[in-house]
Amino acid sequence: MAKEAQQQVSYTVEELVAVNPYNPDILADLENYVNEQVSSQKYSLDANLCLLRLYQCEPERMSPPIVARILIKALMAMPAQDFSLCLFLIPEQVQSEEQFKTLIVLSHYLETARFRLFWDEVAKNRSLLESVPGFQQAIEAYAVHVLSLIYQKVPRAVLAEAINKEGLALDQFLEYHVANSGWAIEKSQGRSQLIVLPPNEFNHPELKKNASDSVSYEHVTRIFPVLS
Amino acid sequence: MAAYDADSSAGGDLAYDPNFVPDSVKTFVVHLYRQIRDKNVYEIHQMYEGSFNRLTDRMFRESPWPTAEAVAPYVDGDHVFCLLYREMWFRHVYARLTPTPKQRVESWDNYCSLFGVVLHGVVNMQLPNQWLWDMVDEFVYQFQSYCQYRAKLKNKTEEELQLLRNFDQAWNVYGVLNYLQALVEKSNIIQILEREKEGLEQFTVDNGYDYQGGSNVLKMLGYYSMIGLLRVHCLLGDYRTGLKYMAPIDLSQQGVYTNVIGSHISTIYHYGFANLMLRRYGDAIREFNKMLLYILKYKQYHQKSPQYDQILKKNEQMYALLAVCLSLCPQQKLVDENVSTQLKEKYNDKMTKMQRYDDEASTVYDELFSYGCPKFITPSAPVLDEPLTNYNQEAYRLQLKMFLFEVKQQQLLAGIRSFLKIYSTITVTKLAQFMDVDEATLRTILMTYKHKMHSTDNDGKIVSNADIDFYVDDDTVHVVEAKPTKRFGDYFLRQILKFEEMISELEKVQLD
């Protein structure tokens, strides 16, 4: 029953954001929606941007814990640029508060692929990040994504550092992806394992569809009168 | 045609008689009123752009036009005409004089009344698109100007502060955004554009005008408000939402937005800037290139227009932004030759510096970004207690800071690009040696390059912006150069339509 009521609220919030976003009365609804996103592992960038805009217009109503949660959710959305999009709307004095400085540093490490530094910093800030379920998995997915952009075959050590797993945990991770994501494991000369990532247009350029030469349907309809 | 006596000061701050209506103004308003009633759009346009500016140059260079109350008797006291006249009146004050705080507030009231009338759907006029664009453009501009004005609290008089306290609803951000959004919704413009794709509407073909005796005012204000919303969101730093408002308009085609040069430039400038901040450098470069080429070709035709200065200013700003985009994401093949020549003339040295990615580069990025960016605003109302400070630069400083941070993150990429240009294959170890870093750092740099050169588009798809790409096979880097894509499909479509046109023209020719 409670879950149904929750579902109703989020439906209304998305509608509000679409239809009447410039309205300070919906601020409380949007804040509740952020908490709901955190607890049920959903995500809505548009609703969060709407809330940040309202905070921009009425800075005295801004709630730092809510903003922190929005930023953490945005980090989890990488490689999408949501984190910067949110920061564009947060005033400098707010950004210089401790917890936000930490989050900005974390974002910086992820943007520049400094995974080891990133996981070290995460370890120092467990309380902040553990309040948002799904954080670990989301970052692992981002790390795998970046590796798939580059590597046809990635050395085990590189993968280990990126997703912060070693030994048994890493083996289990690999097993899972071999079974479900089309990964394969090879042995490279003398050294340890090589993980073969599934081919995509980024690590196998020959797969790149020349998509920009395809013509959209709308444009083709323009010559229908001629063809008839 | 009396000259205004500089000594005759009425009690107010303007040394002119607001109620004196010279004969030429009488003729002007009577004529304009009649044309509007008769819906002669062409005549209205001539008077609006031509006569109004000529009279301004002749008689109102340094003083306002007569007030709406003074001219009302000559136009049957028509309420809507007076609202339109007043809008032009305030626009003139902003353009040629400096508005007083009271005038700023009065202008807001006028817009509320004017838009109120339009939104109630009782307007039956046809006005030139130029005028309707100018209204929306000016509305956003005055909002921007007011935010800047009220954020400079330091030297305000007690009287000015009192005015801010009493009229705290004037130009409030919610009001501005809600009016723009209301115009978009009430005009149904999004649905009209959708239906047009299925051939059920003639909107673009008719350039927004209504040839069935109706009115184009609400429709066109709605259309231009989409661009207005893009602009306001850019000023607030919310680029993603701004771009969402432009989704109904297909920017790869000509459209109603290209028919008034002011709206064309404003659209592309803000669209390009938003894409730059979203790291979609490819899209930004493409659009800036198209716009700059257009201005290059056609600016001579606008030399006499009152907007010529604005056109030139935006032109220069877009060159600066284009230089920035190309330094972050070299893609020479996307830029037309003529534009490229102009760009080199203006910014060759600076672009070389920016691509070096050292501290000096940072200064140049700062300079060009600051020149090219819009005047950002802080939307919140000022806090009117002591100490009074100026905070009108805060919004700009934040956006600049974020931008330079992004530039700094890309600092290492220039080095790697030059190596990728030379080698087709190279081991990770060797490349690390050349770049004077350890292997682990090099792998980090490679990943950063890939991540930064790919952006996420509106549907969440990953798109590459890079001209030089690579992949890694265990410990070897293989370089791939992106091939320029020839758009055969598009080319053929255009030629087919062109030939069809030619053939139908020829068929019309009758040989005697």
Side-chain angles (χ1 to χ4, degrees), chain A residues 91-110:
Chain A
E92 258 183 289
Q93 334 65 300
V94 176
Q95 285 190 28
S96 53
E97 285 174 32
E98 236 6 87
Q99 52 173 341
F100 298 120
K101 280 213 303 229
T102 308
L103 290 173
I104 292 173
V105 164
L106 287 176
S107 158
H108 177 63
Y109 287 150
L110 284 181

Side-chain angles (χ1 to χ4, degrees), chain B residues 28 46 79 87 90 106 109 129 134 228 258 284 288 292 314 405 449 461:
Chain B
F28 173 78
Q46 293 296 97
H79 176 57
E87 199 264 331
F90 282 112
E106 284 169 355
D109 285 332
N129 287 343
D134 285 341
T258 51
F288 283 143
L292 289 168
K314 279 278 172 296
F405 191 60
Y449 180 90
K461 211 167 135 289

Side-chain angles (χ1 to χ4, degrees), chain B residues 67-318:
Chain B
T67 60
E69 288 73 31
V71 305
Y74 306 108
V75 294
D76 302 337
D78 188 290
H79 176 57
V80 177
F81 183 88
C82 288
L83 292 175
L84 289 173
Y85 178 86
R86 231 182 255 118
E87 199 264 331
M88 289 164 65
W89 192 96
F90 282 112
R91 214 181 319 144
H92 165 257
V93 167
Y94 268 85
R96 304 280 188 137
L97 316 166
T98 316
T100 66
K102 194 147 181 294
Q103 284 170 340
R104 289 180 188 269
V105 173
E106 284 169 355
S107 180
W108 161 254
D109 285 332
N110 192 54
Y111 274 117
C112 292
S113 308
L114 182 53
F115 290 149
V117 164
V118 173
L119 286 167
H120 271 112
V122 293
V123 157
N124 199 26
M125 310 176 284
Q126 284 247 73
L127 294 177
N129 287 343
Q130 176 77 56
W131 191 343
L132 295 167
W133 162 252
D134 285 341
M135 256 191 244
V136 176
D137 195 35
E138 183 71 14
F139 181 63
V140 176
Y141 168 69
Q142 290 190 13
F143 166 61
Q144 181 183 32
S145 170
Y146 193 74
C147 288
Q148 296 277 336
Y149 161 77
R150 74 177 176 188
K152 292 189 205 154
L153 295 172
K154 234 188 195 164
N155 295 320
K156 292 240 182 316
T157 65
E158 185 50 48
E159 197 186 325
E160 288 175 307
L161 292 173
Q162 198 50 37
L163 193 97
L164 285 176
R165 275 191 206 101
N166 292 341
F167 295 104
D168 59 350
Q169 285 311 298
W171 296 112
N172 76 89
V173 61
Y174 297 126
V176 172
L177 288 168
N178 280 320
Y179 269 119
L180 290 173
Q181 206 192 14
L183 286 168
V184 172
E185 269 169 35
K186 203 80 200 296
S187 64
N188 258 334
I189 186 66
I190 300 181
Q191 290 81 339
I192 293 177
L193 290 171
E194 276 298 306
R195 287 211 305 270
E196 189 171 50
K197 290 193 194 144
E198 294 160 31
L200 298 170
E201 288 278 348
Q202 296 265 75
F203 180 72
T204 307
V205 170
D206 291 342
N207 199 13
Y209 291 109
D210 187 316
Y211 292 108
Q212 272 108 30
S215 162
N216 73 333
V217 173
L218 179 57
K219 240 191 308 183
M220 288 313 296
L221 285 179
Y223 184 86
Y224 288 134
S225 292
M226 289 193 285
I227 306 172
L229 283 164
L230 166 64
R231 185 169 160 197
V232 175
H233 282 86
C234 284
L235 297 176
L236 295 172
D238 187 353
Y239 307 106
R240 176 185 151 103
T241 312
L243 286 178
K244 277 188 117 177
Y245 280 111
M246 292 303 290
I249 302 181
D250 182 358
L251 291 178
S252 66
Q253 305 292 322
Q254 301 263 38
V256 176
Y257 75 98
T258 51
N259 292 333
V260 172
I261 191 160
S263 97
H264 192 188
I265 294 180
S266 185
T267 306
I268 300 300
Y269 167 77
H270 289 98
Y271 180 83
F273 186 80
N275 275 300
L276 163 62
M277 297 306 269
L278 288 176
R279 280 199 341 233
R280 296 183 191 155
Y281 304 118
D283 287 334
I285 293 170
R286 247 174 249 121
E287 291 308 317
F288 283 143
N289 175 61
K290 268 197 310 199
M291 189 75 248
L292 289 168
L293 191 59
Y294 181 92
I295 296 179
L296 202 57
K297 278 192 198 158
Y298 297 112
K299 70 177 174 196
Q300 48 184 316
Y301 300 111
H302 293 270
Q303 263 171 358
K304 302 268 176 57
S305 142
Q307 291 121 27
Y308 193 57
D309 286 335
Q310 253 301 300
I311 295 174
L312 292 180
K313 173 86 197 272
K314 279 278 172 296
N315 190 49
E316 291 306 309
Q317 282 182 299
M318 283 191 280

Side-chain angles (χ1 to χ4, degrees), chain B residues 5-18:
Chain B
D5 214 1
D7 300 332
S8 69
S9 56
D13 15 30
L14 309 157
Y16 91 116
D17 179 359

Side-chain angles (χ1 to χ4, degrees), chain A residues 18-24 45-46 49-50 53-54 56-59 78-82 84-85 87-93 95 104 107-116 142 145-147 149-155 158 161 188-189 191 194 201-206 208 210 212-216 218-223 226, chain B residues 173-174 177-178 181 185 197 229 233 236-241 244-245 250 252-253 277-280 377-381 394 397-399 401-403 405-406 408-410 412 440 443-448 450-452 454 456 461-464 466 469-475 478 480 482 485-490 493-494 496-497 500:
Chain A
V19 169
N20 190 12
Y22 313 116
N23 175 7
L45 176 64
D46 287 326
L49 285 178
C50 185
R53 279 199 311 267
L54 289 178
Q56 223 188 7
C57 301
E58 293 179 73
M78 283 193 80
Q81 215 197 333
D82 300 3
S84 332
L85 295 184
L87 277 190
F88 284 135
L89 297 173
I90 300 176
E92 258 183 289
Q93 334 65 300
Q95 285 190 28
I104 292 173
S107 158
H108 177 63
Y109 287 150
L110 284 181
E111 285 283 333
T112 51
R114 294 183 171 117
F115 290 109
R116 186 169 36 180
Y142 166 66
H145 158 81
V146 177
L147 294 173
L149 285 181
I150 313 182
Y151 288 101
Q152 293 188 345
K153 300 182 188 169
V154 55
V158 174
E161 188 179 274
S188 109
Q189 316 97 315
R191 284 179 279 143
L194 271 185
E201 71 180 90
F202 304 110
N203 61 12
H204 279 78
E206 65 272 15
K208 193 170 188 172
N210 219 346
S212 45
D213 196 25
S214 60
V215 180
S216 79
E218 288 156 6
H219 295 173
V220 173
T221 55
R222 280 190 287 149
I223 62 166
V226 178
Chain B
V173 61
Y174 297 126
L177 288 168
N178 280 320
Q181 206 192 14
E185 269 169 35
K197 290 193 194 144
L229 283 164
H233 282 86
L236 295 172
D238 187 353
Y239 307 106
R240 176 185 151 103
T241 312
K244 277 188 117 177
Y245 280 111
D250 182 358
S252 66
Q253 305 292 322
M277 297 306 269
L278 288 176
R279 280 199 341 233
R280 296 183 191 155
I377 55 174
T378 310
S380 52
E394 269 177 23
R397 274 205 296 264
L398 173 63
Q399 300 301 315
K401 181 170 169 208
M402 302 276 324
F403 173 71
F405 191 60
E406 176 68 34
K408 198 146 175 285
Q409 282 181 345
Q410 299 197 23
L412 293 162
R443 286 184 191 269
T444 307
I445 296 173
L446 290 175
M447 284 194 278
T448 311
K450 273 285 199 169
H451 170 61
K452 289 296 186 186
H454 288 75
T456 330
K461 211 167 135 289
I462 305 280
V463 177
S464 168
D469 214 341
F470 63 88
Y471 64 91
V472 178
D473 186 357
D474 181 15
D475 62 348
H478 302 260
V480 180
T485 48
K486 288 195 190 284
R487 303 182 65 104
F488 291 121
D490 226 31
L493 273 180
R494 267 184 288 130
I496 290 173
L497 288 171
E500 253 321 285

